[in-house]
């Protein structure tokens, strides 16, 4: 199966790939990130939500609602076919399988295959916000630890508990990008997108500057203020709900991020009538859509005939997801508690979103 570079990463390292249909997100990872996804998959399979005590009864969302769908693993040279990936998808839904081959660790890079969170979007805007004041774990070398302590102390990571790491902005021409210094961003070849690099977020110091950046981000569309207001409100609710999840989940997310994603394509927003869910079901919807032929105008789901356009309208307009678990640990059987480092940052960000909400 041919792969190509994934060009919509808001932050992070190079080497990420996608398939021709851009339905997959394929990233080189180390064992810890596989362990993280495998633990969640195993527990979910055992119908254990990983939530504490009665949290589920109180309607707290389990952690798997906040992360990309886990499809499987591959190595670059293993020549995975489309069918293999589809099979992995089936297996991912069915049973537990150790996808990381530990004995292979000296040979080639292992890639994790995840749902591409942007699949179904036409012109998404994406922001990556790294969480936590503490950015290193026990595995870091002394040099790395000292470097990360310095980064934290000089940026909003230390003062607020989170930092904007990067953005992909649809070039809306009419938007004002004066907030960025020339070295902090660049246009893509086609001039359709702007990449804002990590130096921008490292320069910001105050909650007011964060607010301005979020305002620029959420205004980066041509739909008018009502849309801005409605997406900010959705993200505000999502942050509250995510905090609730993390306050009830034993976990440690060193250097993980939240991804904020929203549609800026006017046609799709209009078709949607601003209707959006707290948690998307995009992966399932796109799966249904792939099963049916282009010319089919209707399909039957559980005995009910549904118009294809109606199904497409179910794809979200915006979403918030947790990503990047290379230094994260989760599970009831670990000796960790809830992750104050991450929750504290999210609470400060939630306050900023509340202020932003009040402004619109
Ligand atoms: N499942 C996904 N679908 C679409 N985009 C994603 C997905 N996961 C991550 N991204 C995008 O890719 C970027 C990089 O991903 P991630 O943070 O997982 O890797 P990284 O920072 O390079 O990881 P590492 O530090 O382990 O090398 C994110 O900023 C985000 O924009
Ligand atoms: Mg990252």
């Amino acid at each position: 199966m041919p792969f190509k570079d994934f060009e919509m990463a808001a932050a992070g390292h190079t080497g990420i790939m996608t398939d021709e249909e851009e339905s997959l997100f394929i990233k080189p990872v180390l064992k810890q990130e596989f362990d993280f996804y495998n633990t969640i998959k195993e527990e979910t399979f055992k119908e254990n939500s990983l939530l504490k005590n009665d949290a589920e009864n109180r309607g707290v969302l389990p952690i798997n609602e906040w992360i990309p769908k886990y499809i499987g693993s591959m190595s670059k040279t293993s020549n995975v076919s489309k069918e293999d990936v589809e099979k992995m998808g089936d297996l991912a839904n069915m049973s537990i399988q150790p996808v990381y081959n530990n004995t292979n660790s000296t040979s080639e890079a292992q890639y994790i295959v995840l749902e591409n969170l942007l699949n179904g979007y036409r012109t998404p805007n994406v922001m990556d916000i790294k969480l936590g004041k503490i950015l290193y774990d026990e595995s870091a070398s002394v040099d790395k630890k000292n470097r990360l302590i310095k980064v934290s102390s000089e940026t909003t990571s230390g003062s607020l508990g989170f930092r904007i790491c990067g953005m992909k902005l649809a070039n809306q021409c009419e938007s004002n990008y004066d907030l960025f210094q020339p070295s902090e961003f660049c246009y893509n070849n086609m001039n359709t997108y702007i990449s804002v690099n990590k130096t921008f977020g490292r320069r910001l110091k105050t909650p007011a500057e964060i607010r301005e950046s979020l305002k620029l981000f959420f205004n980066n569309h041509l739909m008018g203020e009502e849309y801005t207001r409605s997406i900010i409100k959705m993200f505000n609710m999502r942050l509250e709900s995510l905090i609730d999840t993390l306050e009830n989940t034993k976990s440690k997310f060193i250097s993980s991020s939240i991804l904020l994603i929203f549609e800026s394509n006017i046609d799709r927003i209009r078709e949607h009538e601003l209707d959006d869910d707290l948690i998307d079901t995009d992966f399932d919807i796109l799966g249904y859509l792939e099963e049916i032929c282009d010319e089919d105008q209707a399909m039957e789901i559980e005995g009910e005939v549904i118009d294809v356009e109606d199904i497409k309208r179910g794809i979200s307009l915006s979403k918030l997801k947790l990503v990047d678990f290379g230094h994260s640990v989760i599970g009831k059987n670990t000796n960790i508690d809830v992750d104050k480092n991450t929750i504290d940052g999210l609470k400060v960000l939630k306050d900023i979103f509340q202020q932003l909400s009040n402004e619109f």
Side-chain angles (χ1 to χ4, degrees):
M1 178 159 99
F3 299 110
K4 55 183 186 177
D5 288 343
F6 179 74
E7 290 179 349
M8 283 298 288
H13 299 89
T14 53
I16 298 171
M17 303 185 297
T18 187
D19 58 320
E20 233 162 346
E21 286 91 32
E22 303 192 5
S23 58
L24 305 173
F25 177 87
I26 305 167
K27 178 178 101 152
V29 290
L30 297 173
K31 185 171 178 296
Q32 194 163 350
E33 192 144 10
F34 276 118
D35 287 348
F36 181 89
Y37 275 98
N38 276 326
T39 303
I40 294 182
K41 192 171 87 178
E42 285 168 21
E43 296 300 328
T44 310
F45 183 68
K46 288 189 259 173
E47 293 192 11
N48 175 1
S49 68
L50 283 163
L51 287 170
K52 282 182 162 181
N53 305 325
D54 65 334
E56 205 162 356
N57 299 336
R58 287 186 284 112
V60 180
L61 292 174
I63 190 76
N64 58 305
E65 301 279 11
W66 296 107
I67 63 172
K69 293 281 179 301
Y70 175 40
I71 296 169
S73 76
M74 54 171 254
S75 52
K76 201 173 188 177
T77 53
S78 66
N79 234 344
V80 186
S81 69
K82 176 82 182 158
E83 289 69 39
D84 287 338
V85 175
E86 273 164 10
K87 246 186 274 162
M88 285 199 280
D90 287 345
L91 285 172
N93 293 329
M94 257 170 50
S95 64
I96 308 154
Q97 10 112 43
V99 292
Y100 190 83
N101 181 359
N102 218 353
T103 55
N104 204 12
S105 56
T106 49
S107 52
E108 54 193 339
Q110 290 287 309
Y111 289 77
I112 195 163
V113 184
L114 302 172
E115 147 197 33
N116 174 9
L117 295 167
L118 306 178
N119 192 15
Y121 282 62
R122 280 188 219 151
T123 324
N125 287 301
V126 187
M127 181 186 278
D128 179 310
I129 302 179
K130 197 183 271 291
L131 301 171
K133 281 185 207 286
I134 300 165
L135 302 171
Y136 60 88
D137 62 8
E138 324 64 75
S139 74
S141 64
V142 175
D143 272 2
K144 186 169 181 188
K145 180 174 164 183
N146 288 336
R147 187 164 47 79
L148 291 172
I149 289 174
K150 188 162 181 282
V151 169
S152 179
S153 72
E154 291 172 350
T155 63
T156 59
S157 289
S159 58
L160 305 175
F162 65 85
R163 162 166 51 97
I164 296 175
C165 264
M167 291 184 237
K168 278 280 188 282
L169 296 172
N171 184 7
Q172 303 285 4
C173 301
E174 291 174 33
S175 289
N176 185 352
Y177 300 119
D178 284 355
L179 220 52
F180 311 128
Q181 293 174 1
S183 61
E184 292 170 348
F185 75 104
C186 62
Y187 290 88
N188 66 350
N189 289 342
M190 311 277 284
N191 237 10
T192 51
Y193 264 91
I194 293 165
S195 299
V196 180
N197 65 41
K198 63 183 177 190
T199 60
F200 169 70
R202 286 191 183 196
R203 170 169 62 85
L204 306 179
K205 296 286 174 265
T206 63
E209 284 175 308
I210 296 287
R211 237 178 8 247
E212 282 313 300
S213 313
L214 289 171
K215 244 196 246 179
L216 180 146
F217 178 69
F218 287 117
N219 274 318
N220 196 51
H221 60 80
L222 304 173
M223 274 299 289
E225 224 174 62
E226 191 192 348
Y227 184 55
T228 311
R229 195 178 313 120
S230 94
I231 42 181
I232 290 176
K233 196 170 136 214
M234 284 307 297
F235 280 106
N236 198 10
M237 289 193 294
R238 287 178 182 125
L239 283 173
E240 186 169 337
S241 180
L242 174 61
I243 290 168
D244 216 6
T245 299
L246 295 186
E247 283 185 327
N248 288 284
T249 308
K250 286 181 159 191
S251 52
K252 196 171 177 196
F253 293 96
I254 292 293
S255 216
S256 297
S257 291
I258 48 170
L259 275 195
L260 313 180
I261 298 168
F262 75 90
E263 181 66 89
S264 74
N265 178 279
I266 288 189
D267 294 335
R268 203 166 82 78
I269 299 168
R270 288 209 177 112
E271 284 158 20
H272 230 282
E273 295 161 2
L274 302 193
D275 186 25
D276 217 359
D277 291 319
L278 201 69
I279 302 287
D280 67 283
T281 52
D282 296 351
F283 187 72
D284 298 332
I285 295 173
L286 290 156
Y288 281 139
L289 287 170
E290 220 175 76
E291 280 173 28
I292 54 173
C293 307
D294 285 345
E295 60 270 21
D296 280 353
Q297 282 311 302
M299 70 182 288
E300 216 179 295
I301 300 172
E302 289 165 6
E304 222 181 305
V305 178
I306 299 175
D307 190 70
V308 170
E309 289 309 311
D310 278 345
I311 300 173
K312 280 192 186 156
R313 264 192 291 278
I315 299 170
S316 65
L317 280 185
S318 67
K319 61 176 97 172
L320 183 154
K321 293 283 167 178
L322 265 173
V323 297
D324 206 350
F325 306 116
H327 301 279
S328 300
V329 185
I330 195 153
K332 281 193 168 165
N333 302 329
T334 51
N335 58 358
I336 47 175
D337 197 359
V338 298
D339 186 5
K340 196 170 176 305
N341 184 41
T342 300
I343 294 169
D344 286 352
L346 282 170
K347 285 185 172 168
V348 176
L349 184 62
K350 165 84 180 67
D351 285 345
I352 292 178
F353 264 81
Q354 189 57 52
Q355 291 162 12
L356 210 57
S357 267
N358 299 340
E359 276 186 47
F360 282 92

